C-alpha cells in the first residue's frame, strides 16, 4: 500500500482509497489532523480482526518473528541464570577426628601382648627358665595367694605408695599455687624445685637413710619427692598459662582473692593438674620397686628381691605384672575422674 502525505495542506490521497464508482473520496477539511501511520496500521489491523475479511499488514510476520526471538532469548537467559544460581550438591566432608572410642580400648594392647607371649611359649620359642609361660605365672600367683604371702605384700606396697602419694600431692599443689600466684613465691620456690628435679631422686636414698633412718620414713619421703615434682611442674605451667584477660575481667568485676582462685584459677589449671596427677601416680609405683628392696621385710619389691636370690623368674614376673596392673588401674581411675570433672571441655578424647 502506497501513501502520499502533503504537509502543506494536511491532505492525503491514496491510490486505492476510491469508491466503487472510481471517484476519489472527498478530502478532509482544512485543519483536520490526519491519523499517524502507526494509528492507521492499528486501525486497519483492528478492522481486519473484527470483520475477519481484512488481511494483516505486511510487517506483521516480521513483528511476530522478532517477538518470538525476544521470548526465546529471555527463556534462555532464565535457564542460564537458574543453572548459575542452582545450589551445587554438597560434598561429603572428610572426617579428621579419631572417631568413636572403642570399648575397653586400653585392654586391647595388653591382651595382644599376652596372646603373643602365650603363642611363643606354646611354640617353644621362649626359654622356660628365663621367661616362663603365662600359665606357669598364673599357677605361681595362685600358690602365693593361697599361701598368704602375696596378700600381705600387696597391702604393704599399697600402704607405702598411698602415703607417699598423699604427701607428694599435697606438697606439689601447695608449692605450685604459691609459686604460680605470687612473684615472691615464684622467686623462692621455682628455682629450688627445678634444682631438685635435676638431681636423681634415687641418688638421695643414702642421704635420706642417714637423715631419717632405715625404716619406712625414708621410703615414703622418696616416693613423695617423686610424686610432687611432676604435679608441681604441670600445675605451675597451667597457672602461668591462664589468659591475662580473665584476670583483668576479675579485677573489673571486683572479685575477691578467694573467688578469683575458685572461679578462674582452678577451672583454668585443672587440665594441667590432671596431667601431673597421672604422672605422679605412675611415679609412685616406679619408685616403690626400688625402695622395697632396701631393708624391707615385706612388699612386692621385697618378694621380687628374694625371688632373684633363688632364681625364681616366675615370682619376679608375678610382681611385675601386679605393678603393671596397679599402674593401669590407677591411671584409668585418674582419667575417669578427669573426664567427669572436665566434662565441659570438647576435645578429641571426649
Amino acid at each position: 500500500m502506497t501513501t502520499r502525505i502533503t504537509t502543506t495542506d494536511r491532505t492525503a490521497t491514496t491510490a486505492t482509497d476510491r469508491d466503487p464508482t472510481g471517484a476519489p473520496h472527498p478530502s478532509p477539511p482544512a485543519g483536520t489532523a490526519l491519523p499517524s501511520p502507526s494509528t492507521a496500521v492499528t486501525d486497519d489491523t483492528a478492522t481486519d480482526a473484527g470483520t475477519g475479511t481484512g488481511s494483516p499488514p505486511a510487517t506483521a510476520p516480521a513483528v511476530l518473528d522478532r517477538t518470538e526471538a525476544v521470548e526465546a532469548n529471555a527463556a534462555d537467559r532464565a535457564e542460564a541464570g537458574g543453572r548459575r544460581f542452582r545450589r551445587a550438591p554438597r560434598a561429603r566432608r572428610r572426617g579428621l577426628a579419631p572417631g568413636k572410642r572403642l570399648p575397653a580400648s586400653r585392654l586391647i594392647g595388653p591382651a595382644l601382648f599376652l596372646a603373643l607371649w602365650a603363642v611363643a611359649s606354646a611354640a617353644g620359642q621362649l626359654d622356660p627358665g628365663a621367661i616362663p609361660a603365662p600359665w606357669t605365672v598364673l599357677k605361681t600367683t595362685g600358690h602365693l595367694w593361697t599361701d598368704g604371702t602375696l596378700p600381705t605384700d600387696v597391702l604393704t606396697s599399697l600402704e607405702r605408695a598411698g602415703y607417699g602419694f598423699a604427701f607428694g600431692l599435697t606438697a606439689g599443689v601447695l608449692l605450685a599455687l604459691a609459686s604460680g600466684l605470687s612473684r615472691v613465691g615464684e622467686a623462692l620456690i621455682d628455682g629450688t624445685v627445678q634444682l631438685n628435679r635435676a638431681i636423681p631422686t634415687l641418688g638421695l636414698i643414702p642421704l635420706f637413710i642417714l637423715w631419717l633412718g632405715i625404716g619406712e620414713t625414708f621410703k615414703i619421703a622418696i616416693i613423695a619427692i617423686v610424686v610432687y615434682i611432676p604435679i608441681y611442674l604441670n600445675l605451675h605451667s597451667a597457672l602461668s598459662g591462664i589468659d591475662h584477660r580473665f584476670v583483668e575481667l576479675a579485677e573489673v568485676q571486683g572479685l575477691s582473692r578467694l573467688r578469683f582462685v575458685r572461679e578462674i584459677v582452678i577451672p583454668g589449671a585443672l587440665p594441667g593438674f590432671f596431667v601431673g596427677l597421672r604422672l605422679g601416680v605412675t611415679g609412685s609405683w616406679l619408685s616403690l620397686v626400688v625402695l622395697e628392696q632396701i631393708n624391707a621385710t615385706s612388699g612386692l619389691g621385697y618378694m621380687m628381691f628374694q625371688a632373684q636370690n633363688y632364681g625364681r623368674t616366675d615370682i619376679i614376673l608375678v610382681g611385675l605384672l601386679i605393678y603393671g596392673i596397679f599402674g593401669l588401674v590407677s591411671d584409668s581411675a585418674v582419667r575417669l575422674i578427669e573426664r567427669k570433672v572436665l566434662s565441659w571441655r570438647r576435645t578429641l578424647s571426649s
Side-chain angles (χ1 to χ4, degrees), residues 62-328:
V63 173
L64 293 177
D65 293 341
R66 190 162 51 251
T67 304
E68 292 176 357
V70 171
E71 292 177 354
N73 191 13
D76 293 340
R77 289 183 180 179
E79 183 179 358
R83 288 196 301 266
R84 183 183 306 168
F85 295 102
R86 188 178 299 147
R87 185 182 298 273
R90 190 171 184 178
R92 185 177 181 181
R93 293 186 301 176
R94 182 182 178 184
L96 301 178
K100 295 183 179 180
R101 187 183 301 275
L102 298 176
S105 58
R106 291 185 179 86
L107 298 179
I108 297 177
L112 181 61
F113 173 77
L114 290 177
L116 294 176
W117 180 16
V119 170
S121 299
Q125 299 297 323
L126 300 177
D127 183 11
I131 304 179
W135 44 86
T136 303
V137 176
L138 186 60
K139 186 185 297 184
T140 303
T141 303
H143 175 70
L144 292 174
W145 187 268
T146 56
D147 190 23
T149 304
L150 189 58
T152 304
D153 293 335
V154 168
L155 291 177
T156 303
S157 297
L158 287 175
E159 183 180 2
R160 290 169 180 160
Y163 279 120
F165 178 77
F167 286 119
L169 175 62
T170 304
V173 171
L174 293 179
L175 291 175
L177 290 176
S179 177
L181 300 178
S182 172
R183 296 302 181 187
V184 177
E186 183 179 12
L188 296 176
I189 297 173
D190 190 64
T192 306
V193 174
Q194 299 298 332
L195 180 63
N196 187 11
R197 183 170 70 94
I199 298 175
T201 306
L202 298 180
L204 298 175
I205 292 178
L207 189 61
F208 273 55
I209 291 176
L210 294 176
W211 289 350
L212 303 175
I214 198 88
E216 297 293 322
T217 306
F218 92 93
K219 297 181 179 67
I220 295 175
I222 293 295
I223 295 174
I225 293 176
V226 174
V227 170
Y228 99 90
I229 290 178
I231 293 177
Y232 169 86
L233 293 177
N234 287 274
L235 183 55
H236 181 270
S237 177
L239 291 171
S240 302
I242 294 177
D243 198 334
H244 193 268
R245 290 175 296 181
F246 295 142
V247 181
E248 295 176 351
L249 179 61
E251 293 174 351
V252 171
Q253 295 294 328
L255 298 183
S256 62
R257 190 73 173 180
L258 181 60
R259 288 190 61 190
F260 170 70
V261 173
R262 186 177 67 251
E263 298 180 9
I264 294 180
V265 172
I266 292 179
L270 278 178
F273 167 72
F274 278 109
V275 174
L277 189 63
R278 290 177 55 194
L279 294 175
V281 169
T282 306
S284 64
W285 295 111
L286 294 177
S287 59
L288 190 63
V289 178
V290 179
L291 293 172
E292 288 186 334
Q293 298 181 12
I294 301 174
N295 193 36
T297 57
S298 62
L300 293 174
Y302 172 77
M303 181 187 71
M304 295 170 60
F305 181 73
Q306 295 296 322
Q308 176 189 358
N309 295 332
Y310 293 98
R312 296 291 303 274
T313 55
D314 54 344
I315 298 179
I316 296 176
L317 288 178
V318 169
L320 292 177
L321 289 176
I322 293 175
Y323 276 125
I325 292 173
F326 283 165
L328 180 62

Side-chain angles (χ1 to χ4, degrees), residues 6-30:
T6 304
T7 57
T8 56
D9 54 359
R10 292 303 220 175
T11 61
T13 58
T14 308
T16 59
D17 293 343
R18 295 178 182 270
D19 59 5
T21 61
H25 290 290
S27 299

Side-chain angles (χ1 to χ4, degrees), residues 43 55 69 75 89 130:
D43 294 341
S55 60

